[in-house]
Amino acid sequence: MDFTQFLLASGDLGEDGCDVFVTCFTQFEKEVPEGHRAIGRLVEQAFQVGDFSGKSGERILFYPESGQVDGIRAKRIAVFGIGRIEAGTTAAEIREMMRKLGGGIAGLAEKAKASRIMVRLPVLDRIDGGQTAECLVEGLALGDYRFVKYKKPDPEEKAYPGLREVILVSDSAESLVRRGMARGENAAKAACLARDMANEPANKWTAEDFALLGRSLAGKYAMKCRVMDQKDMKRLGMGGILAVNQGSSEPPRLVILEYKAQQKKQTLLLVGKGLTFDSGGLSLKPAAGMEDMKYDMCGGAAVLAFMQAVGIERPDLNIIAMIPATDNMSGSSAVKPGDVISHYGGISSEIVNTDAEGRLILADALAYGIKKYRPDCVIDLATLTGAAIVGLGHHYTCLLSNNDTLVNRLVQAGERSGEPLWRLPLGKDYSQQIDSRVADIKNVGGKGAGTITAAAYLEKFVGKTIWAHLDIAGTAWDFTEKSYIPKGPSGVGVRTLLELVRDWQKIDGSPD
Ligand code: BES
Ligand code: MN
Ligand code: ZN
């Protein structure tokens, strides 16, 4: 399916008709705000009978008698409620209201099988026309997402291919609105790419597929792709990823994308867990829900999809993306509980539970990436622990870090993109939980604090580099359902990272 075209209206709206014309209102108390003509009078009627007052989630539909109202030719007029904006409502919250509005409009478009819609942008306090356009487009594009690749089309009904054209109508400065639209579209496209990867079943999305996509991105944008295979990993002593791959018949890959702004700029290293299927290995997972473990590559998907957005926006810093990719299977040569392995750089590890495999593949990538690229800052994304869901449910991503500045920036980026993060502590008491009798460390931390002890494992491999770990186990799928977040994979992380690198400010210092 081709992606929706987002356009900005110029001039006469009466020329070409549309399937739906959308306008919206923030919540009002006594009467419809002035300045709305025929549509305003219809809204007034709806208000009088108690059907509409601009509350979030409210929506009314009209069918213009002559196919035209207020000089607009449309089959339907839809009026959406935005919700209440109060004195204390933050810009980030208003941005989120716009995304939800976009998702709601996409939902209506699907019901109406609309292909061409027009949306009049509201004028809001605290966010400008650019941000309004950005978040609305983002919500529309994210909400219009569907994954139907493996479904036979229903012979009775024509399948809805999604929105073809969205025309925005705005009174704000054109350049501002266009810039916002481009940002929103770019962010949503990348997040949808991450969802696409995650939706692919494990028999269709393997480590090699990460490599293929990495190479294709490098072909399209100004970035280089390197792919390491098992031989390279053996030569470099990447015992973690090799151990996890031992029980599999599918070869492992370490995919690296290098985007260079300028040599003298700061370098950000990203590492995403690309575990294409997590059976648990010999420490086999229970059958119920195991199918969801095809999503265990969502960290890798987010990092790779983010690089597509980077390729288009070209932010002002160097970015290295690494995806260690393999599945975790229990074939006859699988790694066994009790085995001792050695990571890149020489730290030895006792494998107590083969299901704690994510940290093993991330450790090699982190250690190698830091040694090779000397980044100023490292962020890893991983569906690392079920304990993240126990702790924060499906609403917040767990954030663990050795640097307060980076934490603040990530939390802010998360707020502005509607992907909230919550920090958990690190420290020596937790690190001690992964002390081993036979090796330098072991891969599980015993009872309690599973998300933290997993991060403590990674911490051993980042040394003095500024680092943050995002445990997206709770948010990568089953994320808080919203109009623009469907069931299934959410694409979480992509938009947070993008928000973080836009207008990147130098970060320095050492771990706190
Ligand atoms: N991929 C899982 C974590 C996971 C579980 C993510 C459920 C999302 C939903 C990870 O590899 C894993 O199995 N972690 C173990 C660690 C334990 C053995 C210490 C877990 O969380 O149970
Ligand atoms: Mn596991
Ligand atoms: Zn896993």
Side-chain angles (χ1 to χ4, degrees):
M1 190 196 80
D2 288 333
F3 215 86
T4 318
Q5 272 210 299
F6 291 93
L7 306 163
L8 186 58
S10 52
D12 189 5
L13 301 184
E15 283 168 24
D16 312 299
C18 58
D19 298 309
V20 190
F21 181 90
V22 180
T23 185
C24 51
F25 288 80
T26 50
Q27 196 169 335
F28 51 87
E29 302 300 331
K30 291 194 185 68
E31 56 190 20
V32 178
E34 303 244 343
H36 298 273
R37 296 182 288 161
I39 294 177
R41 289 194 292 279
L42 293 167
V43 173
E44 179 69 43
Q45 269 178 283
F47 175 64
Q48 291 306 334
V49 296
D51 286 359
F52 187 85
S53 58
K55 287 198 189 92
S56 163
E58 274 182 352
R59 188 196 81 197
I60 46 177
L61 266 180
F62 305 114
Y63 304 88
E65 222 173 331
S66 55
Q68 174 152 334
V69 62
D70 288 345
I72 299 154
R73 289 213 311 130
K75 291 184 193 148
R76 306 169 186 82
I77 305 287
V79 183
F80 278 79
I82 294 173
R84 195 193 296 280
I85 298 181
E86 285 166 308
T89 311
T90 63
E93 285 166 341
I94 300 171
R95 287 169 60 87
E96 177 70 355
M97 289 161 105
M98 283 300 103
R99 269 183 226 107
K100 286 181 175 160
L101 172 65
I105 296 170
L108 167 65
E110 176 166 35
K111 276 209 186 96
K113 293 197 190 299
S115 89
R116 185 168 199 271
I117 67 168
M118 284 193 189
V119 184
R120 184 187 291 288
L121 290 185
V123 177
L124 302 166
D125 288 339
R126 268 159 288 181
I127 69 169
D128 62 19
Q131 289 194 58
T132 305
E134 174 194 340
C135 297
L136 194 96
V137 165
E138 204 170 290
L140 267 161
L142 289 167
D144 192 36
Y145 178 82
R146 51 190 59 75
F147 186 81
V148 291
K149 192 170 164 186
Y150 298 110
K151 270 166 116 50
K152 200 176 336 82
D154 186 340
E156 303 283 292
E157 240 182 304
K158 220 167 145 253
Y160 175 59
L163 284 164
R164 190 170 47 80
E165 239 174 49
V166 175
I167 301 136
L168 298 189
V169 183
S170 165
D171 299 326
S172 306
E174 182 178 329
S175 62
L176 194 70
V177 175
R178 284 200 190 280
R179 197 173 100 105
M181 287 168 70
R183 280 187 181 225
E185 193 178 337
N186 195 27
K189 260 191 191 169
C192 290
L193 174 63
R195 290 177 183 175
D196 275 344
M197 287 182 237
N199 268 317
E200 289 289 351
N203 61 333
K204 309 275 182 188
W205 191 267
T206 62
E208 176 60 15
D209 290 289
F210 273 116
L212 289 172
L213 182 58
R215 289 205 190 90
S216 124
L217 290 175
K220 274 193 209 133
Y221 306 108
M223 47 183 80
K224 273 200 251 163
C225 181
R226 291 174 59 204
V227 178
M228 291 190 192
D229 61 14
Q230 199 171 31
K231 246 184 33 227
D232 301 314
M233 295 172 191
K234 281 189 176 149
R235 178 171 47 83
L236 291 165
M238 297 180 164
I241 181 161
L242 288 168
V244 174
N245 183 254
Q246 261 172 236
S248 172
S249 50
E250 202 61 63
R253 294 284 182 265
L254 179 58
V255 182
I256 308 176
L257 272 178
E258 305 175 6
Y259 162 78
K260 290 251 152 63
Q262 271 175 43
Q263 211 59 36
K264 62 178 203 302
K265 296 289 175 178
Q266 286 207 307
T267 298
L268 169 65
L269 171 66
L270 299 171
V271 178
K273 175 180 174 183
L275 213 293
T276 57
F277 186 76
D278 185 8
S279 74
L282 285 175
S283 313
L284 191 67
K285 286 185 181 294
M290 202 203 270
E291 68 278 11
D292 281 351
M293 284 298 121
K294 71 168 183 176
Y295 298 142
D296 211 15
M297 35 60 77
C298 282
V303 164
L304 198 54
F306 163 73
M307 291 306 279
Q308 172 180 280
V310 165
I312 296 168
E313 287 193 14
R314 305 192 55 70
D316 202 19
L317 76 166
N318 305 316
I319 305 176
I320 311 293
M322 297 180 79
I323 298 112
T326 174
D327 49 6
N328 182 24
M329 302 298 283
S330 55
S332 56
S333 45
V335 67
K336 304 168 293 299
D339 285 359
V340 173
I341 60 150
S342 168
H343 280 293
Y344 177 86
I347 296 179
S348 68
S349 175
E350 179 191 4
I351 312 298
V352 172
N353 188 321
T354 66
D355 197 11
E357 84 297 338
R359 64 201 75 182
L360 304 182
I361 71 171
L362 292 171
D364 285 335
L366 286 167
Y368 177 78
I370 288 169
K371 178 94 188 290
K372 163 103 184 152
Y373 298 100
R374 305 249 159 250
D376 300 281
C377 176
V378 188
I379 301 172
D380 74 81
L381 281 81
T383 48
L384 207 59
T385 63
I389 310 174
V390 177
L392 301 184
H394 296 287
H395 311 301
Y396 277 74
T397 293
C398 297
L399 166 62
L400 298 102
S401 173
N402 59 13
N403 182 277
D404 290 347
T405 309
L406 182 56
V407 165
N408 290 339
R409 288 193 194 179
L410 276 165
V411 167
Q412 233 193 29
E415 273 171 12
R416 286 175 56 80
S417 48
E419 300 182 336
L421 306 160
W422 198 265
R423 189 184 193 174
L424 296 175
L426 288 163
K428 152 170 132 301
D429 295 331
Y430 296 109
S431 305
Q432 274 171 5
Q433 284 185 236
I434 56 168
D435 286 348
S436 164
R437 271 190 322 108
V438 300
D440 297 331
I441 46 176
K442 60 181 176 186
N443 81 329
V444 294
K447 256 196 159 174
T451 301
I452 303 177
T453 54
Y457 191 95
L458 304 179
E459 196 183 11
K460 303 270 182 193
F461 298 87
V462 300
K464 297 233 170 307
T465 311
I466 294 176
W467 157 75
H469 160 62
L470 273 57
D471 192 331
I472 57 173
T475 48
W477 68 98
D478 287 349
F479 189 24
T480 326
E481 221 179 310
K482 314 180 201 177
S483 59
Y484 70 94
I485 308 275
K487 288 202 165 62
S490 62
V492 79
V494 175
R495 292 180 301 111
T496 301
L497 288 176
L498 198 52
E499 195 58 45
L500 180 80
V501 301
R502 286 170 173 165
D503 312 306
W504 174 263
Q505 301 296 311
K506 206 163 171 243
I507 189 163
D508 50 24
S510 49
D512 304 312

